[in-house]
Amino acid sequence: SQTIHQWPATLVQPVGSPLSLECTVEGTSNPNLYWYRQAAGRGLQLLFYSVGIGQISSEVPQNLSASRPQDRQFILSSKKLLLSDSGFYLCAWRDRGKFTEAFFGQGTRLTVV
Amino acid sequence: GENVEQHPSTLSVQEGDSAVIKCTYSDSASNYFPWYKQELGKRPQLIIDIRSNVGEKKDQRIAVTLNKTAKHFSLHITETQPEDSAVYFCAGPPSDYKLSFGAGTTVTVRA
C-alpha cells in the first residue's frame, strides 16, 4: 500500500534562518507531488507541484523553493524565513490522471519567530 | 486545476440538521468533482467524489450533487453529528497534474 511521510511535524525557526521540509512517498511510482500551505483558519494554498524528477512548477511567487531530487522525494526550502512564512505545510501526492485521489502527509506546523 | 468558488465560508448547524456546501466552477469541460474533509490539526482526506456522467452520489449520510448546466456541485450532510465538525474543501476540477482547492467551509455542529 502507498504511504506518505512528511517531517518534521512541528518546527520553530527564527526569522532569517533556512528551512528544509521533506516528503517521501512509498508504494507508488512517478506520482504527482504537491506542497500546500495553510494559514490558521484558512484554505489550502498550492505552492508547488511536480510531475517528475527535477520538474517543478511554482504557483505563488515567494521566498520558498521546491526540489524533487528523486521520483518519490519532494523538498520545500527557504534560504531566509520571513514571519509570514508561518503556517501549516502539507505535502500531497496523487497518481497521474484526472480522476485520482490526493493523499496528504501529516503536515508540518512551522512557526517563524 | 480550475479555480472554484466555495460557499459559505462558515456554517453552524444544530445536531441532527442538514448541512449544504456549494462550489461553483467555470470550465465546462470539467468532469471530476471531489470533496475533502479536514479535522482540526489533521490532514485533509477525500470523503466523496463524483464524475460528470452522474448527477448524484451518496455514501451513508453524505452526498454530492452535480449541476453541469449551472456549473456547481454541492456537498450534503444529513443528520449531522458532532464528528462532522471540520473544514470541508471542494477541489477544483483537476488537470492531469495540477490540483487546487476551494477556500474551505468550517462546519460546526452544535449539540
Side-chain angles (χ1 to χ4, degrees):
Chain A
S1 64
Q2 302 94 345
T3 56
I4 179 169
H5 302 280
Q6 181 183 345
W7 67 93
T10 60
L11 191 60
V12 179
Q13 291 284 98
V15 170
S17 64
L19 173 73
S20 181
L21 303 181
E22 188 164 344
C23 174
T24 60
V25 181
E26 297 177 356
T28 187
S29 297
N30 204 23
N32 290 337
L33 295 172
Y34 306 86
W35 279 111
Y36 294 89
R37 177 170 61 197
Q38 187 174 33
R42 304 294 294 274
L44 298 166
Q45 180 187 31
L46 179 60
L47 301 176
F48 302 94
Y49 63 92
S50 171
V51 300
I53 296 174
Q55 299 180 61
I56 308 296
S57 296
S58 174
E59 285 295 294
V60 182
Q62 57 216 332
N63 69 321
L64 298 172
S65 62
S67 61
R68 184 171 178 174
Q70 300 180 47
D71 180 47
R72 289 169 287 179
Q73 183 184 28
F74 206 22
I75 299 171
L76 182 69
S77 303
S78 174
K79 293 181 178 179
K80 289 185 177 181
L81 284 169
L82 306 173
L83 286 174
S84 58
D85 291 324
S86 293
F88 190 49
Y89 288 81
L90 287 156
C91 178
W93 76 271
R94 65 185 185 109
D95 286 325
R96 299 294 173 86
K98 296 181 182 180
F99 309 114
T100 57
E101 176 180 355
F103 296 91
F104 288 83
Q106 66 172 355
T108 297
R109 187 159 304 283
L110 171 66
T111 303
V112 183
V113 296
Chain B
E2 177 65 23
N3 287 334
V4 288
E5 291 190 9
Q6 182 174 343
H7 297 282
S9 58
T10 61
L11 183 59
S12 179
V13 296
Q14 188 70 36
E15 183 176 355
D17 289 349
S18 297
V20 181
I21 306 168
K22 182 178 176 179
C23 279
T24 304
Y25 62 96
S26 57
D27 182 0
S28 57
S30 301
N31 52 12
Y32 176 60
F33 307 91
W35 285 94
Y36 288 76
K37 175 183 180 182
Q38 184 182 26
E39 297 179 357
L40 186 62
K42 297 189 176 179
R43 71 190 82 185
Q45 292 184 299
L46 180 75
I47 54 171
I48 196 167
D49 56 12
I50 192 171
R51 299 192 184 187
S52 60
N53 56 344
V54 296
E56 182 177 9
K57 181 179 178 181
K58 290 184 178 180
D59 182 4
Q60 300 181 5
R61 295 186 297 105
I62 62 171
V64 54
T65 58
L66 173 63
N67 184 325
K68 292 208 73 177
T69 302
K71 296 182 184 176
H72 63 73
F73 57 109
S74 299
L75 177 70
H76 304 255
I77 309 173
T78 58
E79 301 174 21
T80 52
Q81 299 173 5
E83 56 263 36
D84 296 327
S85 294
V87 182
Y88 293 83
F89 295 96
C90 61
S95 67
D96 288 339
Y97 40 88
K98 190 174 174 180
L99 181 63
S100 299
F101 291 87
T105 298
T106 301
V107 173
T108 303
V109 179
R110 307 187 306 272

